[in-house]
Amino acid sequence: KQEVTQIPAALSVPEGENLVLNCSFTDSAIYNLQWFRQDPGKGLTSLLLIQSSQREQTSGRLNASLDKSSGRSTLYIAASQPGDSATYLCAVRWDRGSTLGRLYFGRGTQLTVWP
Amino acid sequence: EAGVAQSPRYKIIEKRQSVAFWCNPISGHATLYWYQQILGQGPKLLIQFQNNGVVDDSQLPKDRFSAERLKGVDSTLKIQPAKLEDSAVYLCASSLAQGSEQYFGPGTRLTVT
């Protein structure tokens, strides 16, 4: 059964801290993994997409790593800002033929960065 | 580039009533998805279209939910009759092809009373 777990469920940090969000998944035969941000009352914004052949992806202050063998991905946010406050969702796509495309989401980590 | 458009943004109905949601994907995106997100949970795929054909509807409650994507562009998702447990945000997403990056719309928040 494909499952995605995110810990912690909530995180509160002061501005300027570097932080790590964790995502774990069952079954290492993934196709790719995508990190999203969701602001209250809004849809999902794609942050980073890591293909199964990649180890990490970077965009600005964000860095996502992928370790398929251990079934884990981390999202590293450098020098956090109050504007980073949102829910961060990890989603995995498994290589399963006709169901390729379906994203399995974790429950998310609700991040609060206070000034 | 215009993003994924959805309407309405909010809808309140009574149980046993029907409701329909509309989605316009990013131009040129062949794959369209409908997700259901219950409060406090991650989105769950309801149905996936490739052009105007259904690829995956294994998690769609077919006794009350239906969806179509005529002409391979816009899509509608319908619930008839609605139940209290259908209260959720319904998200539409699109991608160039199966397996490629998905882009989400703002969602429709449905409240069933």
Side-chain angles (χ1 to χ4, degrees):
Chain A
K1 181 180 180 182
Q2 287 103 354
E3 289 185 354
V4 179
T5 304
Q6 290 186 250
I7 53 173
L11 183 63
S12 181
V13 300
E15 181 177 7
E17 275 204 5
N18 302 323
L19 55 97
V20 174
L21 307 181
N22 296 293
C23 172
S24 61
F25 47 90
T26 57
D27 191 344
S28 61
I30 71 169
Y31 182 79
N32 57 35
L33 182 147
Q34 201 166 348
W35 282 94
F36 293 89
R37 167 184 174 141
Q38 186 170 33
D39 293 282
K42 297 187 178 181
L44 280 63
T45 300
S46 179
L47 298 173
L48 291 163
L49 173 71
I50 309 178
Q51 300 294 347
S52 62
S53 59
Q54 297 174 317
R55 293 299 299 267
E56 65 178 334
Q57 280 283 358
T58 298
S59 176
R61 295 182 293 110
L62 304 179
N63 175 276
S65 67
L66 175 64
D67 183 345
K68 289 193 303 179
S69 62
S70 66
R72 293 182 181 181
S73 175
T74 61
L75 179 66
Y76 175 83
I77 303 177
S80 59
Q81 303 170 358
D84 295 330
S85 298
T87 297
Y88 291 81
L89 292 157
C90 170
V92 176
R93 184 181 288 107
W94 273 280
D95 187 2
R96 286 294 183 272
S98 63
T99 62
L100 180 64
R102 181 195 300 186
L103 284 173
Y104 291 79
F105 282 84
R107 289 175 174 257
T109 294
Q110 186 174 359
L111 173 66
T112 302
V113 181
W114 41 276
Chain B
E1 177 184 82
V4 177
Q6 289 188 248
S7 67
R9 292 295 313 279
Y10 306 92
K11 191 73 177 179
I12 300 174
I13 62 172
E14 296 181 352
K15 59 183 179 183
R16 291 187 290 274
Q17 287 187 325
S18 62
V19 64
F21 312 127
W22 173 82
C23 173
N24 180 242
I26 293 173
S27 178
H29 281 197
T31 314
L32 185 146
Y33 315 79
W34 282 101
Y35 288 86
Q36 179 193 57
Q37 186 177 23
I38 294 173
L39 187 64
Q41 299 183 18
K44 181 186 79 172
L45 181 74
L46 292 175
I47 189 167
Q48 176 185 338
F49 292 93
Q50 180 67 19
N51 296 309
N52 61 349
V54 176
V55 173
D56 183 355
D57 63 356
S58 57
Q59 298 189 103
L60 186 74
K62 298 181 185 64
D63 58 334
R64 298 183 301 106
F65 286 65
S66 65
E68 61 181 8
R69 190 184 184 197
L70 299 177
K71 301 180 182 179
V73 182
D74 293 3
S75 177
T76 56
L77 176 69
K78 297 179 181 178
I79 306 175
Q80 183 179 12
K83 294 184 175 181
L84 295 177
E85 58 261 35
D86 298 332
S87 294
V89 175
Y90 290 84
L91 295 162
C92 179
S94 70
S95 63
L96 275 172
Q98 290 188 65
S100 59
E101 190 167 4
Q102 293 186 22
Y103 297 86
F104 282 75
T108 296
R109 181 175 297 277
L110 173 68
T111 302
V112 182
T113 62

